[in-house]
Amino acid sequence: DRGSEWSYQLSASLLEIYCDEIRDLLAPKVEGKAPKKLQIRQTAQGISVKDLIDTPVSSPEEVAAVLERGQANRSVGRTNMNEHSSRSHLIVQVTAEIGFPDGKKASSKLCLVDLAGSERLGRSGAVGQMQKEAIEINKSLCALGDVINARATKSSHVPFRTSTLTHLLYDALMGDSKTLMLLQINPSADSFEETQ
């Protein structure tokens, strides 16, 4: 029985990496003003994002409300390949601050990442800003592949700072962290080259 001697505080944040920049999806939008550019910081507790809104949550319903609020601010667009194409990587962070009966404290962070899919510009029909978005998405996915490969081969250098995505996921991919990746692969024959 953990009783009242244990304490738990949960909080959630929601951000997107759009064109290699961090955007807080819980920050209020100001009409006619670009979203504030957020910076990654290294602290004693690990990687963090300065000025990111971290909302206290205490139930699944409160987490769902945070997700719904943030989803409304996500960057999406229409391409030849996808009617509702995400134009950014989405990262949901749930942080737990735990107080032990002996007075010690610990914290843990769960990162749920929805990666934007890679695009072949010729097939997607992306032009202008959407072309720039696709290029940035593809670059960050390549950087993530490089990090995973370097970790798998036990390379002496892991290129985390190559992209904002990999830099932000440093804590989730290093040390004693656990990482699970789920892939959605289009089974249609005309997408075979995309999934090789």
Side-chain angles (χ1 to χ4, degrees):
D1 177 36
R2 294 190 172 174
S4 61
E5 294 182 22
W6 290 76
S7 66
Y8 303 90
Q9 293 179 346
L10 298 175
S11 60
S13 59
L14 200 66
L15 61 91
E16 72 177 350
I17 299 175
Y18 174 81
C19 289
D20 212 41
E21 291 181 359
I22 300 170
R23 292 184 176 176
D24 188 343
L25 295 177
L26 299 179
K29 284 189 171 184
V30 178
E31 194 65 37
K33 199 172 181 188
K36 181 179 180 179
K37 292 181 183 179
L38 301 178
Q39 301 295 316
I40 296 173
R41 299 281 186 242
Q42 177 71 44
T43 68
Q45 291 75 36
I47 296 291
S48 68
V49 177
K50 187 176 187 311
D51 298 328
L52 182 68
I53 294 173
D54 206 22
T55 304
V57 292
S58 59
S59 69
E61 294 79 18
E62 289 180 0
V63 174
V66 168
L67 293 174
E68 189 175 317
R69 194 171 97 213
Q71 186 65 23
N73 294 326
R74 187 145 187 222
S75 299
V76 295
R78 180 187 178 111
T79 69
N80 292 343
M81 302 289 292
N82 187 345
E83 187 174 332
H84 302 286
S85 176
S86 58
R87 311 310 297 161
S88 64
H89 304 300
L90 173 73
I91 300 178
V92 179
Q93 295 179 336
V94 179
T95 304
E97 300 290 337
I98 304 160
F100 296 95
D102 63 4
K104 292 182 180 174
K105 295 189 178 201
S107 65
S108 184
K109 183 172 22 175
L110 171 68
C111 293
L112 302 171
V113 182
D114 178 14
L115 296 171
S118 64
E119 292 183 13
R120 292 194 183 215
L121 294 175
R123 288 190 70 199
S124 71
V127 294
Q129 182 61 27
M130 290 186 78
Q131 181 180 28
K132 180 182 176 193
E133 294 164 353
I135 290 168
E136 290 296 333
I137 289 167
N138 292 344
K139 280 175 33 181
S140 63
L141 291 173
C142 287
L144 180 60
D146 292 343
V147 165
I148 291 170
N149 184 56
R151 294 281 293 138
T153 59
K154 299 185 182 347
S155 173
S156 61
H157 173 69
V158 181
F160 279 104
R161 292 183 182 245
T162 305
S163 81
T164 300
L165 174 66
T166 54
H167 192 185
L168 189 57
L169 293 178
Y170 176 86
D171 292 338
L173 297 170
M174 284 299 287
D176 60 356
S177 62
K178 305 292 182 229
T179 304
L180 172 67
M181 184 179 283
L182 303 174
L183 303 175
Q184 179 180 350
I185 299 173
N186 187 342
S188 107
D190 64 336
S191 294
F192 178 73
E193 285 189 24
E194 298 280 328
T195 58
Q196 283 182 326

